[in-house]
Amino acid sequence: MSIQTVGIIGAGTMGNGIAQACAVSGIPVVMVDISEAAVAKGIATVSGSLDRLVKKEKISEADKAKALGLIKGSTSYEDLKATQLVIEAATENQDLKVKILKQLDGMLAPDIIIASNTSSISITQLAAATQRADRFIGMHFFNPVPMMALVEIIRGLQTSDATHDAVHALATALGKTPITVKNAPGFVVNRILVPMINEALFVLSEGLATPEDIDAGMKLGCNQPIGPLALADMIGLDVCLAVMEVYLKEFGDSKYRPCPLLKEMVAAGRLGRKTGQGVYKY
């Protein structure tokens, strides 16, 4: 099972990032979104990203032109029929994803693999919405996709070995380092990361140290490139809260209870960088 051409649903941050990673690696891409404007914006974002790489002399102008030439923008799912893998990278909304997946499943050839870039929704559950559960898998890229080396490959209960091996090989061809993960809430990275952020907020709420000292402690003591509180502001405190609430519901374990300070800040609209204030002011 060889993947020669990749289809992507969604031209937003994750979708265009995946498209860039594929195109730079010489893999043709079909990037689909609901409007011409959304597709054009996605391609323009890739172009701007490649421009920065040219300025840093990491790629040449010829490399940029070649990569852009490998990305076909479209508003029609029909153009996905020529691919061997379609990656759904739509908004993190289960109903929307199920609707898209059912539409894809009904029109794509039976041997085409479908993957979801979800960071939180059950792969087993999403796979069950299709008639190709053995050819369905999670492929969780991290933002910003062109820079981040990791891809979590999540096997649903039904995912076949052949599907896993083909997607693992593709991730490697993209220059990424794939790790294979069983299906569970938060998979591996977010399962560890978000509770750490939640605990940092508990430490802050208890007045044990200032935000700056908490972040400095984790950066210098654990060799993290960014402190957990600054990272929470970057991710969005509302997103962190939503993830913790999912963990608490799915695992039924009180260790996943959201920090009251986190809930209070979200209620106040202090969501982080996107609102100008979270733990820090921007």
Side-chain angles (χ1 to χ4, degrees):
M1 192 181 294
S2 179
I3 298 169
Q4 306 296 326
T5 303
V6 173
I8 300 169
I9 302 292
T13 300
M14 297 306 295
N16 67 57
I18 297 168
Q20 177 178 329
C22 290
V24 167
S25 300
I27 298 170
V29 178
V30 179
M31 184 169 66
V32 177
D33 212 315
I34 56 173
S35 70
E36 294 286 357
V39 172
K41 183 178 179 182
I43 292 175
T45 299
V46 174
S47 181
S49 178
L50 294 175
D51 279 337
R52 290 189 289 276
L53 293 176
V54 171
K55 287 180 181 178
K56 293 177 181 178
E57 298 184 346
K58 292 188 175 182
I59 64 172
S60 67
E61 282 287 356
D63 292 332
K64 174 193 170 183
K66 182 180 178 182
L68 286 175
L70 289 173
I71 301 175
K72 176 181 179 179
S74 175
T75 57
S76 173
Y77 280 18
E78 290 292 321
D79 289 328
L80 298 169
K81 289 183 176 181
T83 68
Q84 292 78 48
L85 166 71
V86 176
I87 303 171
E88 170 274 311
T91 303
E92 194 73 351
N93 176 290
Q94 184 164 339
D95 291 340
L96 174 62
K97 287 182 183 293
V98 167
K99 180 182 177 182
I100 290 170
L101 294 173
K102 285 184 174 180
Q103 187 175 347
L104 287 173
D105 187 50
M107 60 165 290
L108 295 177
D111 59 333
I112 296 178
I113 298 170
I114 300 178
S116 176
N117 183 55
T118 180
S119 60
S120 64
I121 302 170
S122 167
I123 296 302
T124 296
Q125 195 170 357
L126 291 176
T130 75
Q131 299 299 312
R132 66 184 77 212
D134 61 321
R135 291 178 301 287
F136 191 94
I137 199 164
M139 202 174 186
H140 181 210
F141 290 84
F142 288 76
N143 187 30
V145 177
M147 304 298 295
M148 298 294 280
L150 179 66
V151 178
E152 284 183 316
I153 297 177
I154 305 101
R155 298 188 67 147
L157 187 63
Q158 317 93 318
T159 305
S160 71
D161 289 342
T163 296
H164 167 269
D165 293 349
V167 170
H168 192 283
L170 174 69
T172 303
L174 297 183
K176 305 299 185 185
T177 301
I179 62 171
T180 299
V181 180
K182 290 182 180 179
N183 185 60
F187 312 135
V188 166
V189 174
N190 286 344
R191 168 83 173 272
I192 297 168
L193 174 66
V194 183
M196 181 193 72
I197 289 172
N198 192 55
E199 194 64 26
L201 284 156
F202 270 115
V203 169
L204 177 63
S205 70
E206 291 166 17
L208 300 185
T210 64
E212 292 81 3
D213 281 352
I214 292 169
D215 279 349
M218 293 302 291
K219 287 167 66 179
L220 300 175
C222 298
N223 204 28
Q224 295 182 355
I226 182 172
L229 299 176
L231 182 57
D233 278 353
M234 187 177 295
I235 293 170
L237 296 181
D238 53 334
V239 175
C240 294
L241 175 58
V243 170
M244 289 305 298
E245 288 174 335
V246 167
Y247 292 170
L248 184 62
K249 177 184 175 184
E250 293 294 327
F251 291 113
D253 189 329
S254 62
K255 74 179 182 180
Y256 295 112
R257 70 198 186 286
C259 175
L261 176 61
L262 173 59
K263 296 168 76 172
E264 188 82 358
M265 293 176 75
V266 171
R270 296 182 178 180
L271 308 183
R273 288 180 178 269
K274 59 189 173 186
T275 60
Q277 185 172 0
V279 177
Y280 300 98
K281 286 185 178 180
Y282 299 92

